[in-house]
Amino acid sequence: YRPNRHYYYNMLSIPAGFHKHFFDVLQYMIKQGSIGFDYDAAKTINPTIQLSDYLLARGMQDPSKSYDYWMKDFLKSYGKAGKDVEKYFEYWRKEVWEKRIEKNVNRITEVGICFNYTRGIVWTLKDYYKESDFVTAGSYLKNALKIKELTSDQKKLIQKLIDFNEHGRLMFNAIAKKTGNDSIALLKFRQKHNI
């Protein structure tokens, strides 16, 4: 099985919530008799891709384990903050991917011309995202960072997600609002975080 969609959906550096979708595709392909996999991968600042890639890699290693099993395994790296981090990822999956994007993938790729999902989602971003998505999802991460029993590495992982979420909010504003001020805010954030 050699898909390209996973790669295409990785290109936009904002959360998408497609991690379970592609895990389910992997499970389906295994049930259909696939004996090998060849996934393209994008170099991206998107730490939510780390979850998707983790689920795919672990699902290939042991396809007998479920999405929930591997999700819990992934969240162990966040220690006591795992539940809040899970709420963050699941917000994007349930509220954005499943309710808004998944049923419109064909429309998005048609708008993007030549099956270009990334171009299509950028051109129609405000149809599928709201600034409040980043605020709501980000609140779970802020709660996670308040947990006292976290190690410094766990705090760094959470801060990386917080920064990525804020980058996504600024990118959404720059694309959806198309103002100079929003574009400058995104540029300054990228300069500050060496993106």
Side-chain angles (χ1 to χ4, degrees):
Y1 177 58
R2 197 210 177 286
N4 278 331
R5 280 190 171 193
H6 181 256
Y7 172 74
Y8 295 150
Y9 294 14
N10 285 344
M11 302 292 279
L12 186 63
S13 293
I14 62 175
F18 52 65
H19 47 277
K20 185 175 188 303
H21 170 82
F22 284 110
F23 182 83
D24 290 345
V25 170
L26 171 77
Q27 292 264 301
Y28 174 80
M29 294 309 297
I30 289 169
K31 287 177 184 163
Q32 296 307 309
S34 290
I35 59 170
F37 300 91
D38 182 5
Y39 284 89
D40 286 341
K43 183 178 179 185
T44 176
I45 63 159
N46 184 342
T48 61
I49 298 308
Q50 294 169 354
L51 168 61
S52 184
D53 288 351
Y54 182 86
L55 291 169
L56 289 172
R58 299 300 275 164
M60 284 184 248
Q61 289 173 339
D62 187 350
S64 70
K65 301 282 194 303
S66 68
Y67 166 81
D68 290 329
Y69 178 89
W70 289 123
M71 184 68 160
K72 284 181 180 133
D73 194 60
F74 175 82
L75 292 168
K76 287 178 188 174
S77 10
Y78 294 92
K80 301 244 180 201
K83 288 190 187 301
D84 287 314
V85 172
E86 181 177 27
K87 288 177 187 174
Y88 172 78
F89 284 116
E90 293 300 276
Y91 177 87
W92 292 108
R93 177 174 74 89
K94 292 177 181 176
E95 297 301 320
V96 177
W97 176 261
E98 290 179 359
K99 289 185 180 176
R100 301 181 213 159
I101 297 176
E102 186 174 26
K103 62 187 173 191
N104 290 298
V105 165
N106 288 339
R107 177 183 175 269
I108 293 166
T109 55
E110 285 171 14
V111 167
I113 306 168
C114 301
F115 196 68
N116 192 319
Y117 171 85
T118 304
R119 186 169 46 213
I121 195 76
V122 168
W123 288 349
T124 59
L125 199 62
K126 62 186 174 186
D127 294 343
Y128 303 102
Y129 286 83
K130 301 176 274 195
E131 186 173 7
S132 61
D133 292 323
F134 299 94
V135 174
T136 301
S139 69
Y140 300 126
L141 299 176
K142 289 177 182 173
N143 288 339
L145 205 54
K146 292 177 186 173
I147 295 172
K148 294 180 182 177
E149 299 88 2
L150 299 177
T151 67
S152 62
D153 285 341
Q154 290 164 343
K155 288 177 184 175
K156 285 178 191 172
L157 284 173
I158 295 165
Q159 187 60 55
K160 187 174 181 181
L161 283 171
I162 289 171
D163 292 345
F164 173 72
N165 191 71
E166 178 61 8
H167 176 268
R169 186 186 72 77
L170 294 169
M171 191 166 173
F172 168 80
N173 285 339
I175 292 169
K177 295 178 182 177
K178 296 179 177 28
T179 72
N181 287 341
D182 288 308
S183 296
I184 296 297
L186 175 62
L187 177 63
K188 287 182 178 179
F189 184 88
R190 287 180 170 182
Q191 288 170 333
K192 178 181 176 184
H193 292 87
N194 198 27
I195 298 171

